[in-house]
Amino acid sequence: MHFTSERRLDDGVLEREFTLGEIPGILWTPASTSAPAPLILLSPPPLGLRKAYPRLVARARHSAADGFVTATIELPGSGDRPRWPAAEQARAELRRVMEAGEPVTDEIIDALVLPLVDKAVPEWQAALDALLALPGIGGPVGYSGGVISIGTRLAVVEPRISAAVLFAGSFVPRAMFEEARQVTIPLHVLLQWDDEGNDRQAALDLFDAFGSKEKTLHANMGGHTGVPAFAADAAAQFFTRHLK
């Protein structure tokens, strides 16, 4: 891990940009915290870190106020990372059928999501290796946000993640339902009831499939970007309960 920039935000949070191989990322550390501090992995939407930065830094500052270190990395094919022709083709096909009012088939969803999961999850694990090797950062570890299929896979294969906040706002391949049954960590799932780009029933079915003994569904009225401010408070309470 190589740090490329460093600055203090106005609330004292230390923001450091880094690269891990070809992968860009950002690390946020509270102004003061007891060491080693718990870590929350903030998974971005597939928009690129620059576009997603305002919402990511808001989540990071909220978490810092509770004593958590947070970090994010750029998803494969997003932002400043090299273009990924297969992913771009899948996104173009998705746009085509949606603009034409045609159904989004399982084949389109699989092509869009499954290769991303296969690439992103090992990168998150490599980032976790590097982050936990830094002074002042320890367990337990939480995961928050992003593409719900990535969070589902990580919850299955990464034993260092103790709890997760998942955002039900992306297409879910049928294969992920079987993986969801293997998830056992505590879950806090956010769902926007009127999300224009999300299959609500698929999100509800995925929540039902999760094998966790403790899982909570927080559903709010409104579209994809209409998540109410108090939803962040509920997620923060969830992490405080499970990571401290």
Side-chain angles (χ1 to χ4, degrees):
M1 177 176 286
H2 173 66
F3 288 103
T4 57
S5 71
E6 178 178 314
R7 67 169 181 151
R8 286 276 177 191
L9 306 183
D10 55 17
D11 55 0
V13 173
L14 177 62
E15 178 183 274
R16 288 179 286 175
E17 296 187 6
F18 64 83
T19 56
L20 186 67
E22 66 170 17
I23 307 167
I26 309 173
L27 174 66
W28 291 277
T29 306
S32 61
T33 185
S34 57
L39 171 67
I40 298 176
L41 306 176
L42 299 182
S43 186
L47 303 173
L49 289 186
R50 296 183 190 279
K51 289 184 179 180
Y53 176 81
R55 72 179 80 171
L56 289 168
V57 73
R59 288 161 58 195
R61 290 173 120 165
H62 197 289
S63 297
D66 293 327
F68 295 110
V69 174
T70 53
T72 188
I73 59 172
E74 190 78 84
L75 291 178
S78 294
D80 295 329
R81 295 190 63 180
R83 296 299 91 195
W84 186 6
E88 293 185 348
Q89 182 178 348
R91 285 194 290 266
E93 178 64 9
L94 175 65
R95 285 193 298 270
R96 185 194 68 77
V97 300
M98 293 186 74
E99 290 170 359
E102 300 173 7
V104 180
T105 64
D106 289 341
E107 289 76 13
I108 293 173
I109 295 173
D110 287 355
L112 183 71
V113 179
L114 291 178
L116 176 62
V117 173
D118 289 343
K119 278 181 168 284
V121 166
E123 291 183 352
W124 268 118
Q125 291 181 294
L128 186 53
D129 290 341
L131 290 162
L132 290 178
L134 295 174
I137 301 177
V141 179
Y143 172 92
S144 177
V147 177
I148 197 168
S149 294
I150 295 176
T152 299
R153 172 74 60 80
L154 269 171
V156 173
V157 303
E158 181 46 73
R160 292 172 292 184
I161 294 178
S162 302
V165 172
L166 302 178
F167 296 176
S170 52
F171 292 105
V172 182
R174 291 190 178 276
M176 297 310 301
F177 288 84
E178 185 57 40
E179 294 195 35
R181 295 183 179 92
Q182 303 173 51
V183 175
T184 59
I185 62 173
L187 297 177
H188 179 104
V189 182
L190 296 174
L191 170 65
Q192 285 301 104
W193 201 250
D194 306 303
D195 191 334
E196 58 279 0
N198 186 40
D199 184 334
R200 182 199 302 163
Q201 190 57 54
L204 295 173
D205 291 344
L206 183 66
F207 179 79
D208 188 49
F210 284 124
S212 304
K213 291 183 179 179
E214 181 187 333
K215 56 181 180 179
T216 304
L217 179 67
H218 280 238
N220 296 288
M221 305 304 293
H224 189 79
T225 59
V227 181
F230 60 77
D233 296 330
Q237 291 168 5
F238 169 83
F239 278 133
T240 296
R241 189 165 66 251
H242 289 287
L243 302 183
K244 285 196 165 183

